[in-house]
């Protein structure tokens, strides 16, 4: 069976070239081919929602020519294919995820406003692609101080103790195993507690934060246990954290190799794909590359 490729989305910007370098290493680590894709944007006056994307000639694409020149003298590269497409980038790039095991792009491309931390194409791709998407940020992002990181390499994963997604955890474990990295599982819990009371009701007993944190740790350990069994060589550090999950993950991204977060599962009352506020905030502010993982169908079981 052929191995699905790692797709690197390029547009000639420095952001996309940083993503390309990340994708090259990811393809090598997975023993997978590399597919370099450039989408030529339709004219601004066009209506991309009614125009079908089509293949362009990759031999007549200056962006792909620049990438070829960048890679041509290197040794030890994965098998590389160059693909030129035409259409709306926010529509075409997510579609490339259907035939990929990983899709990698920069946080911003050539278009948009220079002050934006995350471009609309990156956001749409991370929200809509069928495969995991890695967004590589610009260097130099400042993040708040967090707990001491300890020795590198390090992968960070967001663990929802009230409903974790196995696909997110499995991706994080597999990535840590490939890198020989320590895995930090940030398990945020709500604090301080905000009980709802009707008029005349007695306030509930005071809850000890240490008790809540211990419960979060126990839950996290239970969710991590089956993944530990599949990846016994991965050192795992559960990190219960009070309050803002996004803030803790952003702080943990300092000097991390990768932060892994999940995407909301679609359901009957919200059939559209949703990013989730925590994932959106992490994409905007994390200092490290961020992997956004689509949820596995309920009947699926992780295989990696």
């Amino acid at each position: 069976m052929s191995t699905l490729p790692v797709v690197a989305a390029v547009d000639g910007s420095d952001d996309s070239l940083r993503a390309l370098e990340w994708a090259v290493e990811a393809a090598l680590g997975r023993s997978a081919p590399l597919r370099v894709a450039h989408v030529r944007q339709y004219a601004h006056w066009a209506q991309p929602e009614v125009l079908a994307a089509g293949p362009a000639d990759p031999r007549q694409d200056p962006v792909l020519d620049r990438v070829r020149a960048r890679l041509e003298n290197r040794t030890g590269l994965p098998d590389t294919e160059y693909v030129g497409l035409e259409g709306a980038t926010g529509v075409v790039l997510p579609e490339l995820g259907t035939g990929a095991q990983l899709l990698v792009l920069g946080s911003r491309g050539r278009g948009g406003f220079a002050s934006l931390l995350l471009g609309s194409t990156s956001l749409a791709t991370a929200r809509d692609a069928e495969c995991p998407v890695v967004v590589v940020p610009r260097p130099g992002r400042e993040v708040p101080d967090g707990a001491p990181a300890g020795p590198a390499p390090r992968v960070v994963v967001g663990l929802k103790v009230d409903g974790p997604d196995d696909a997110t955890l499995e991706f994080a474990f597999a990535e840590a195993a490939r890198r020989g990295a320590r895995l930090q599982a940030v398990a945020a819990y709500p604090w301080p507690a905000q009980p709802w009371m009707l008029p005349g009701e007695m306030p509930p007993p005071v809850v000890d934060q240490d008790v809540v944190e211990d419960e979060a740790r126990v839950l996290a350990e239970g969710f991590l246990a089956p993944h530990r069994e599949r990846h016994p060589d991965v050192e795992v550090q559960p990190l219960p954290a009070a309050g803002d999950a996004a803030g803790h993950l952003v702080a943990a991204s300092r000097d991390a190799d990768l932060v892994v977060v999940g995407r909301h599962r679609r359901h009957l009352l919200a059939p559209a794909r949703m990013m989730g506020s925590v994932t959106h905030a992490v994409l905007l502010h994390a200092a490290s590359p961020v992997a956004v993982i689509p949820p596995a169908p309920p009947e699926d079981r992780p295989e990696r």
Side-chain angles (χ1 to χ4, degrees):
M1 181 182 295
S2 61
T3 302
L4 291 175
V6 171
V7 175
V10 298
D11 64 0
S13 65
D14 290 341
D15 289 59
S16 73
L17 294 178
R18 280 188 288 270
L20 169 69
E21 298 296 339
W22 203 98
V24 168
E25 295 302 320
L28 290 172
R30 289 166 168 74
S31 300
L34 175 68
R35 180 175 295 161
V36 181
H38 175 226
V39 180
R40 297 176 182 176
Q41 177 70 47
Y42 284 127
H44 293 298
W45 49 262
Q47 299 181 40
E49 67 273 12
V50 299
L51 294 173
D57 188 346
R59 297 169 299 178
Q60 299 178 4
D61 188 323
V63 169
L64 294 180
D65 289 344
R66 181 181 177 188
V67 173
R68 285 192 188 91
R70 186 183 182 95
L71 300 180
E72 64 181 355
N73 293 324
R74 295 194 192 180
T75 58
L77 288 173
D79 292 338
T80 304
E81 173 191 13
Y82 297 90
V83 178
L85 297 166
E86 291 183 347
T89 54
V91 175
V92 177
L93 284 181
E95 292 177 351
L96 291 175
T98 304
Q101 62 171 292
L102 190 66
L103 203 163
V104 186
L105 69 167
S107 56
R108 287 190 64 250
R110 285 189 173 277
F113 297 97
S115 60
L116 290 179
L117 296 175
L118 182 68
S120 59
T121 296
S122 302
L123 179 61
T125 303
R127 182 192 63 217
D128 296 337
E130 297 290 344
C131 72
V133 174
V134 173
V135 178
V136 180
R138 293 182 173 183
R141 278 190 185 176
E142 296 184 1
V143 299
D145 292 332
R154 183 169 54 92
V155 172
V156 178
V157 63
L159 195 167
K160 294 178 61 178
V161 293
D162 60 346
D165 183 70
D166 274 338
T168 301
L169 292 176
E170 186 58 28
F171 183 95
F173 268 85
E175 192 66 27
R178 291 188 190 98
R179 296 171 177 271
R182 180 164 49 102
L183 179 62
Q184 290 183 321
V186 176
Y189 58 89
W191 191 264
Q194 300 288 340
W196 288 92
M197 292 185 297
L198 296 173
E201 282 189 330
M202 294 293 293
V206 176
V207 178
D208 190 316
Q209 182 178 355
D210 291 339
V211 173
V212 178
E213 183 163 313
D214 287 344
E215 182 177 353
R217 188 185 302 275
V218 170
L219 288 171
E221 290 284 6
F223 292 128
L224 293 169
H227 300 277
R228 287 181 189 266
E229 292 179 4
R230 286 191 290 273
H231 303 278
D233 296 333
V234 175
E235 177 190 350
V236 186
Q237 180 185 10
L239 295 176
D244 177 26
H248 291 299
L249 288 167
V250 169
S253 73
R254 182 191 298 272
D255 300 324
D257 287 49
L258 185 68
V259 172
V260 183
V261 288
R263 200 173 73 195
H264 278 186
R265 186 186 302 278
R266 288 188 286 181
H267 53 82
L268 181 62
L269 298 180
R273 292 188 176 95
M274 298 177 64
M275 179 72 69
S277 58
V278 171
T279 297
H280 194 171
V282 172
L283 280 171
L284 279 172
H285 300 293
S288 70
V290 177
V292 179
I293 315 303
E299 67 274 10
D300 281 5
R301 292 289 184 268
E303 298 178 354
R304 296 185 198 176

